[in-house]
Amino acid sequence: MEHGCKKFSSMAEEMNIRGHVDVLYISIETGIALASVLGNILVVLVVRINRALRDTTFCFMVSLALADIAVGVLVIPLAIIVSLGLKTQFYTCLFFACLLVIITQSSILSLLAIAIDRYLRVKIPTRYSTIVTQQRAWRAVCLCWILSTVTGLVPIFGWHNREKIGVDERNATSGSIVCQFTTVMRMDYMVYFNFFGWVVLPLTIMMGLYAEIFYVIRKQLNKRAEASSDSSSKYYGKELKLAKSLALVLFLFTVCWLPLHIMNCVHYFCPTCHVPKTAMYIGIFMSHANSAVNPLVYAFRINRFRRTLLQIWRRLLCKSNDPSLCNISPPAVAEKKLNQ
């Protein structure tokens, strides 16, 4: 009897701890989702309001923002549901997992499109405007999303774990399983096809492109300094600043996503190796948090973006209870609010 009471007490304590962990996990994920959605909606709004930002580079940045909004609206809620042990049909769970891959892939391809765009801008500045038009940029955005969808849906067509977990064709659409990413997705697809083929390769290309971009800009700035050409120096100076900001976006993406992919590699190449659940949670948090980081980079690093953001803030304040703020410049508005 006493042994039974102790066992019951231990189970109750374990369930209580698990409940606290679940609440903490859901709270953090909800905060990240809200920051991702609100921040990236502002990115789209800023590009829409400021005509000066409607160039080809910002088309690709809008595509990246839409992918980050999708993380907040779709990926994180699905991750929360899955963490609670949701039971679904096999193919429903597989489709949820594929959505995550599609959205991640669209982010990578948008970053690649941005890198190619910046490379062409500094490599062929005189012919750039005739080669890279607004219409072609939006076609490239559509191509990024089509490629992301095709590569992300590959598991649906057979490269999945149905047979390995003992679900036959009949039960795949009628029976239910506890939906988890690693249950339905094959690790050879995630490691060889997704990671090596569609993450490592594009990241390597992007690093090469940015290295060449910085080399060309530095070279041109040194030439212009010797020739005392102010207009060209200003052009390449602006290009250098924007290239640094976009390279920072790429760096943060790499830092946030690599841990999760590395853990997938460990899981695949060393099945007996134990990956702590805490490490997996941190990897998931980092990958999701990346969607909330980009708007902060734009706001702090890109002047045109920051000024438009302040204008939006000013308009919001104008609609508040203090109409007198409408007649002051955005920096003065912020200063006045701080002094209140």
Side-chain angles (χ1 to χ4, degrees):
M1 183 74 176
E2 185 180 346
H3 176 72
C5 288
K6 285 182 179 178
K7 189 175 180 181
F8 178 78
S9 177
S10 176
M11 287 175 62
E13 188 177 346
E14 187 179 338
M15 287 177 66
N16 190 35
I17 293 170
R18 181 180 172 82
H20 286 306
V21 171
D22 285 341
V23 169
L24 180 63
Y25 172 77
I26 292 169
S27 300
I28 294 172
E29 287 282 48
T30 303
I32 294 171
L34 288 172
S36 299
V37 173
L38 294 175
N40 286 286
I41 285 175
L42 278 175
V43 171
V44 177
L45 196 59
V46 164
V47 175
R48 180 178 173 81
I49 289 172
N50 192 338
R51 291 180 180 276
L53 295 177
R54 294 183 197 173
D55 61 14
T56 50
T57 301
F58 283 90
C59 289
F60 301 125
M61 287 168 68
V62 166
S63 174
L64 183 60
L66 291 174
D68 289 335
I69 290 170
V71 169
V73 172
L74 292 174
V75 173
I76 293 178
L78 286 175
I80 291 172
I81 291 169
V82 167
S83 72
L84 297 176
L86 174 72
K87 286 194 171 184
T88 67
Q89 296 174 350
F90 176 84
Y91 283 111
T92 303
C93 183
L94 182 61
F95 179 71
F96 290 164
C98 288
L99 270 180
L100 172 60
V101 177
I102 289 169
I103 292 165
T104 308
Q105 201 58 51
S106 67
S107 297
I108 294 169
L109 292 179
S110 295
L111 287 168
L112 179 59
I114 290 171
I116 293 170
D117 176 74
R118 302 319 299 179
Y119 174 77
L120 293 175
R121 190 179 283 266
V122 300
K123 199 72 175 177
I124 49 168
T126 53
R127 290 184 293 148
Y128 172 82
S129 57
T130 56
I131 293 173
V132 185
T133 62
Q134 196 83 10
Q135 191 176 22
R136 286 176 181 171
W138 285 117
R139 284 178 187 170
V141 168
C142 292
L143 181 62
C144 288
W145 281 91
I146 290 168
L147 278 174
S148 303
T149 304
V150 170
T151 57
L153 288 178
V154 164
I156 293 285
F157 301 104
W159 203 347
H160 51 59
N161 260 347
R162 181 175 57 80
E163 293 177 1
K164 187 176 178 181
I165 62 173
V167 178
D168 58 33
E169 187 64 40
R170 188 182 63 238
N171 291 334
T173 54
S174 59
S176 62
I177 61 166
V178 175
C179 185
Q180 291 183 332
F181 188 87
T182 51
T183 302
V184 295
M185 293 293 258
R186 281 179 54 168
M187 279 299 110
D188 53 350
Y189 162 80
M190 288 302 300
V191 171
Y192 289 116
F193 185 79
N194 182 257
F195 180 49
F196 290 156
W198 289 95
V199 176
V200 173
L201 183 60
L203 286 178
T204 305
I205 293 170
M206 282 185 268
M207 285 189 282
L209 286 172
Y210 277 109
E212 181 65 16
I213 288 167
F214 289 125
Y215 171 76
V216 170
I217 291 175
R218 291 291 185 189
K219 187 178 177 181
Q220 292 297 329
L221 283 173
N222 290 336
K223 281 184 181 178
R224 298 305 182 270
E226 291 172 6
S228 300
S229 176
D230 289 340
S231 59
S232 295
S233 296
K234 284 180 182 178
Y235 173 80
Y236 284 105
K238 284 168 63 179
E239 289 300 318
L240 178 61
K241 190 171 182 180
L242 185 55
K244 284 180 178 178
S245 301
L246 296 173
L248 178 60
V249 171
L250 174 62
F251 172 76
L252 291 172
F253 180 90
T254 306
V255 168
C256 288
W257 276 99
L258 273 184
L260 198 57
H261 282 291
I262 289 169
M263 282 185 272
N264 284 339
C265 290
V266 171
H267 182 74
Y268 177 67
F269 290 116
C270 182
T272 57
C273 297
H274 174 66
V275 177
K277 204 167 185 180
T278 307
M280 189 61 73
Y281 272 132
I282 291 171
I284 292 169
F285 286 145
M286 287 177 67
S287 66
H288 292 167
N290 179 248
S291 299
V293 167
N294 291 341
L296 296 175
V297 175
Y298 303 152
F300 283 102
R301 300 276 308 177
I302 303 174
N303 289 333
R304 289 180 293 169
F305 186 92
R306 183 168 58 251
R307 284 196 297 267
T308 309
L309 201 58
L310 287 170
Q311 287 172 10
I312 293 171
W313 176 243
R314 184 186 179 192
R315 290 180 189 181
L316 291 174
L317 292 174
C318 287
K319 294 176 182 177
S320 68
N321 297 326
D322 193 355
S324 64
L325 293 171
C326 298
N327 299 320
I328 0 178
S329 61
V333 170
E335 188 179 349
K336 182 169 181 179
K337 290 297 281 185
L338 284 171
N339 292 332
Q340 286 179 350

